[in-house]
Structures are given as C-alpha cells and as structure tokens.
Amino acid sequence: MQSWTDTLRFAFQPVVNLITGGVAGLEILARPESGDVLAEARRDPELDGRLAVAAVRAAARRETLLPLHVNVFAGTLADLGGLTPLHDAVRAVGRLPWEITVDVVPPYTHVPQRALLEAVGALREQGFRISADGVGDGDVPLRLLVDLAPDLVKLDPSLLARPAAVRAMRLWCEETGALLAVEGVETELQCAAALSAGAQLAQGVLFAPPARLPVAEVYVPPRVPGPPAVTLSGPSVREFVRPAALLPATASAGQVRALLTGSPEVSGVLLVDRAGVPVRSVQRSRFLLSLSGRYGHALYADRPAARLGDPPRTVGIDATAWEVLDVVAVGDRDRTSDDVAVVDRLGRCVGVVRLADLVRALAESRVEEAVGLNPLTRLPGSDAITSEVDRRIAEGRGFALSWLDVDHFKQVNDGAGFAAGDELIRSVGGALQIAASGSTRVGHIGGDDFLVLADPEGLDPLAASVLGAPWSAGGRPVTLSLATVLCPPGSVADHRQAAACLAPLKKAAKSLRGASWVVGRAGFSGHEVRRGSPVAAEAVGAEPGLG
C-alpha cells in the first residue's frame, strides 16, 4: 500500500528582507503529487506533526544553511503540545531550534486557546521562533495574537489595499519586538506598498516562486526614495539581520573550510556553544588566508577552528544601527568588515548584520533627510511633521500641533531687506530647536511658517522661551504669533484634520496685538487667548474659554 510519504515532495519559497534585498529564510511547502494531504493534516494532528518533521528532513537533504519556516496548524499545536518529534528531528539533522520558525497557521476557530498558548510556550522553551501566519484574512482573534507574542507576523496581501491597517500592525510589532512580513507579493506595486507601510520582510512570486531547490538570490525591485522617517535613535538592527552560518564550538578548521568553500555567499562563521551562544567568530578572508599559507592546511585542518577565530562582536536584537556602528568603532580596525552577531535576550545567535548594509541604509536615510530639510534653517519640512502626527494618532497618543510665524513678515522684508528677513527666520528656527525638548518636533514649512509638534505639557516652556524673547530685523522690532490645537486621543483621524482645526486658530492669533498665542481643542469651536491683546474689542469679539 502506497504511503503519503511516497508521493510527497517539498518546495522552498524565500522569505526576503526588503531592506537588504537578501534571503532571510526559506518556507518549506508540502507539494503532494496526488490527493490533498494538507486537508488531511488539518483534520489529523499526528499527520500534521509528521509533515513538519518531514519538511525539516527535506531541507537537510538540500544542505541549505538558511533559517527555515515550518508550517503547523494551530489545532495541531493545541492537540500535541510542544511537538517533541520536531525538536528531535531538528537536532538529528544538525540544525539548531532557533534557526527554525514555526509558522502557526489558521484556522483558530474551536482551537482551545489555553492549550495553544501552552504549546507555543513549550516551543519557545525549546528555542523555536514563532510566527503568526495568515493575519488579516484568517480568523486569529486580536487578543490571542497579543497573547501569542509572535516573533514574526505574516500579513495577507489583501491588507496592502488598506495601508493604515498595515501601518498600525507595524506599530504593534515595534511595541512587541516582532518583525512584519507580507505574503503573496506578486507585483512591484505591492512590494512598494509593503515597504511604505513598514513591512521588513515579504514573500511572493515577484521575488522567486516556490522551487524544488532552495535559492540564495532573488529579485527585489529598486527602492524608490520617500519622505524621511522621523526616528529618535536610528533604524532597528532587526531590519538588517542576515542568516548566520553556525557551527559548534568544537568544529575543526577543516569543517569551517568545507562550509566556506561550498558557500561563497557566506562571509564568516560563528562558532556557538550548545546553547547557541557565540564563542568565536571566524572571518572568511583571514581564515582562508591562514590555511592557504605554507603548511597552513597541515597545521590547522584537523585542529579546532576556534584557534583561528576572534572573540565575537555581539549586539542585542533590540539594538539600533547606530549602536552597531559604536560596537565596530571601538574594536580592532582590522575587523571593521567582520559580521556582527545579533543575539536574543538569552544570548543565542539569531543572525548577523553586515557593516555595508548599515552604512548604505544610514547614508540613504541621511540623503533622504537632507532632501526634506529647508535650506535656510536646516529643519525638516512638513512631510516629516505630518508623518509623525499620523504615527501618534495611530498609537492613540494625544499631542499638540502648533503653527508659528512672524507678524507682517512681508513688511519686514520690504523694510529691512530680504537678508535681514532670512537672518530673522534662521534665528527663530534656531530658538525653536533650542526650546524643543523630549519628543518635541520642529519643522520649517516655508517662508516664515513653522510647525511644532509636542506633548501638551511641553508647550508652556517653549512658548515662554520663543514668544518672550525680543525679536528684531534690521533694527525693527518684530513679534511672533503662535496658534496651537490640542488633540486628545481619538479627536482627529489624521494630520489633515488636525491642520484643518489649526487654520482658524492661526487667524485668531494674527488678529491680536503683540506676541500672541491662542490655544484651541480639536472638536471645539472656541479658543483661549494666552498671549496678546485684541486690536479692538468689536473686531475680535468674545471667545469662550476652554474650561
């Protein structure tokens, strides 16, 4: 009688890092020649568990070094628990559990949630990484998704038509330390949408279709520069992680040489202990140079490779690109091209980052940022501020958006000259930067107009510092007007609505004499005058306070 294993084959689909353009892992897909073994596996947890084991063994036969993604139904995990046979199979083929991501696949309906969470906890204890698959089109409850705390969230491509949902999921992933992937990407337009929405990883036939043989190179469309992102400390190292070539700490130099010569794309090997913690780093060119010298092979081939390695450079998975550069900068100059190991909270290696990827990305971000800067004040334009406004709205945070400008600026230019006007604008921009603190953002949107995004409690010191200073241009006294709209959580839908609330407040501020400041609240028609006096009572009228 023919077994299902006799006709079952496996295909490999790359998981692509959209930032580096490299392959971050391989998803193993069952491809039966006849019948529907997946439908059977959905009903039979034992069969599904055996499929996962067979997938790992199939990958081992292809001798791929890339991390693997293995699909398991949520119901299987709840029924079988920690999948001990999978753990045994991974060890038997010489792989490490943290090189394997278990993609938890829908359906979740009627799956005992407590049993599922206990099974996921057991897998994590064994070292496996967890991915929530089919999010957006599947039936995973949001509360269960939060409780699963996946290392990776895979979105259905249908969500790309709803970019706000993808951005919101990216924010959630940032809060929980997960990566975001989009599956089923078929067109360059979908790829661009995934990138702009914040996805770091993607899969689909655009990059490479599933194939019987693993691929190391894929097609990734060139990135189109967009408005610069507003970041406090630089991009996360998670965006640049590449698969690591790992060998046991006891590996011989001959074993390392065989791996390097058989895998030209590998730039170095990390030697790890039984727990997966890096203990030595072997850099490709230095290692091969040592072995290629006279008597080098005879001296080292059968000896521990650790003798030709260096102490590993490591950073935590939550590090930023700038922190990686700091690690490289304080080390030996001869090792500036070495890979830096990325480790999880237990010190286990989850991948490597290459200096070239970081330098390229940081340089691009600086170029994009420079394009968005106002040449007069070197402050970002409106795109950076409005993007941050939308970000805070998506996070459910309250904020205060302010518009500041110079009163009668045309008369300043006409009377004192444009050079004096430019100097005044530079001085105001500089004062705003000095007064800004914490999460306050300042933008120069052109002419004499500035935008200030701040937490509501940070407004008073900034206003006192900027509005209370004596301003002049060409010896002529000048005053400033400041209009602020307070936006509690849920009061505005996006930056356009916040700007619409701000427009009448700016008009009210300009109607006052001297340095002026009015404050309004989104959704309310009145405003509070905090500085300035009416030109004439009948011109301004009585405005209700905010209470």
Side-chain angles (χ1 to χ4, degrees):
M1 182 176 178
Q2 193 177 49
S3 168
W4 61 269
T5 57
D6 297 331
T7 60
L8 185 65
R9 300 291 183 267
F10 289 93
F12 301 88
Q13 184 168 47
V15 180
V16 177
N17 186 316
L18 295 175
I19 309 300
T20 66
V23 178
L26 294 171
E27 182 173 352
I28 315 172
L29 305 169
R31 291 290 187 264
E33 293 183 2
S34 61
D36 193 348
V37 71
L38 293 181
E40 293 180 37
R42 178 176 168 179
R43 297 188 295 268
D44 183 350
E46 294 286 350
L47 174 58
D48 193 30
R50 295 201 299 274
L51 276 177
V53 170
V56 170
R57 291 173 177 166
R61 289 194 293 271
R62 298 302 184 185
E63 297 182 350
T64 176
L65 295 173
L66 290 166
L68 305 176
H69 289 245
V70 179
N71 293 300
V72 180
F73 285 110
T76 297
L77 293 177
D79 191 79
L80 299 183
L83 281 182
T84 300
L86 177 62
H87 182 269
D88 294 341
V90 169
R91 290 291 189 182
V93 299
R95 299 301 293 262
L96 299 169
W98 40 94
E99 296 179 277
I100 313 297
T101 297
V102 176
D103 285 3
V104 185
V105 180
Y108 292 87
T109 303
H110 306 308
V111 173
Q113 294 190 8
R114 184 166 186 173
L116 174 59
L117 293 174
E118 289 176 353
V120 167
L123 288 170
R124 279 207 171 92
E125 286 296 320
Q126 295 168 2
F128 291 101
R129 294 167 61 78
I130 303 298
S131 166
D133 205 347
V135 174
D137 194 49
D139 59 345
V140 54
L142 184 58
R143 187 179 68 179
L144 178 60
L145 182 64
V146 173
D147 291 341
L148 282 173
D151 303 287
L152 173 66
V153 173
K154 289 188 174 182
L155 296 183
D156 186 87
S158 62
L159 284 189
L160 291 176
R162 302 165 178 83
V166 183
R167 286 195 295 269
M169 185 56 67
R170 168 62 190 269
L171 291 173
W172 182 81
C173 287
E174 287 181 356
E175 289 289 329
T176 60
L179 290 176
L180 184 64
V182 177
E183 298 183 285
V185 176
E186 299 180 351
T187 66
E188 294 194 5
L189 189 61
Q190 286 182 317
C191 181
L195 262 173
S196 64
Q200 297 111 334
L201 304 173
Q203 294 175 255
V205 295
L206 173 67
F207 313 107
R212 291 290 176 87
L213 295 177
V215 298
E217 294 186 5
V218 293
Y219 168 75
V220 178
R223 294 185 63 183
V224 178
V230 180
T231 58
L232 293 175
S233 53
S236 168
V237 73
R238 294 172 186 270
E239 300 180 9
F240 306 96
V241 173
R242 290 177 176 265
L246 305 178
L247 283 176
T250 56
S252 68
Q255 290 175 295
V256 173
R257 182 178 183 275
L259 190 157
L260 291 175
T261 55
S263 307
E265 75 280 0
V266 174
S267 56
V269 176
L270 287 171
L271 305 179
V272 298
D273 64 16
R274 291 181 62 85
V277 176
V279 294
R280 300 295 282 180
S281 173
V282 180
Q283 200 268 344
R284 181 188 188 91
S285 59
R286 291 198 301 274
F287 174 83
L288 293 179
L289 184 62
S290 297
L291 260 66
S292 64
R294 192 175 185 183
Y295 309 121
H297 187 272
L299 285 171
Y300 298 114
D302 297 324
R303 296 188 178 186
R307 295 187 179 185
L308 296 176
D310 299 291
R313 290 175 168 175
T314 62
V315 295
I317 190 66
D318 295 320
T320 67
W322 292 111
E323 290 173 305
V324 178
L325 293 186
D326 289 340
V327 170
V328 174
V330 300
D332 188 341
R333 292 184 179 180
D334 293 335
R335 298 185 60 194
T336 53
S337 62
D338 288 15
D339 294 343
V340 177
V342 181
V343 298
D344 63 13
R345 59 184 178 81
L346 299 178
R348 302 176 302 198
C349 181
V350 297
V352 296
V353 289
R354 295 180 180 175
L355 184 62
D357 289 339
L358 299 183
V359 171
R360 185 183 307 112
L362 291 173
E364 288 175 354
S365 69
R366 284 293 179 258
V367 170
E368 292 178 5
E369 181 181 341
V371 169
L373 295 180
N374 186 286
L376 186 61
T377 58
R378 310 303 296 166
L379 288 172
S382 60
D383 283 345
I385 304 300
T386 55
S387 295
E388 180 66 7
V389 168
D390 287 337
R391 177 187 178 91
R392 296 191 188 192
I393 292 172
E395 291 176 346
R397 296 168 55 189
F399 60 90
L401 183 63
S402 301
W403 190 323
L404 180 139
D405 69 352
V406 178
D407 295 327
H408 311 297
F409 184 65
K410 185 177 186 304
Q411 297 177 18
V412 172
N413 269 345
D414 291 344
F418 71 87
D422 285 352
E423 182 58 35
L424 174 63
I425 295 301
R426 277 192 289 266
S427 298
V428 172
L432 285 170
Q433 283 183 294
I434 293 172
S437 61
S439 60
T440 300
R441 299 284 176 270
V442 178
H444 182 190
I445 60 177
D448 62 321
D449 293 315
F450 295 87
L451 279 179
V452 180
L453 176 63
D455 295 328
E457 58 271 18
L459 282 173
D460 286 334
L462 184 143
S465 173
V466 177
L467 297 180
W471 296 101
S472 64
R476 301 165 179 260
V478 173
T479 58
L480 308 180
S481 293
L482 179 66
T484 298
V485 59
L486 303 176
C487 299
S491 60
V492 291
D494 56 25
H495 71 270
R496 296 176 183 85
Q497 192 173 350
C501 294
L502 190 56
L505 299 175
K506 179 188 177 186
K507 183 178 180 181
K510 300 297 286 185
S511 69
L512 300 175
R513 180 186 296 114
S516 61
W517 181 21
V518 300
V519 180
R521 188 182 298 270
F524 291 83
S525 59
H527 65 261
E528 173 190 358
V529 176
R530 295 194 180 179
R531 272 181 179 263
S533 56
V535 175
E538 64 274 10
V540 179
E543 292 284 359
L546 295 176

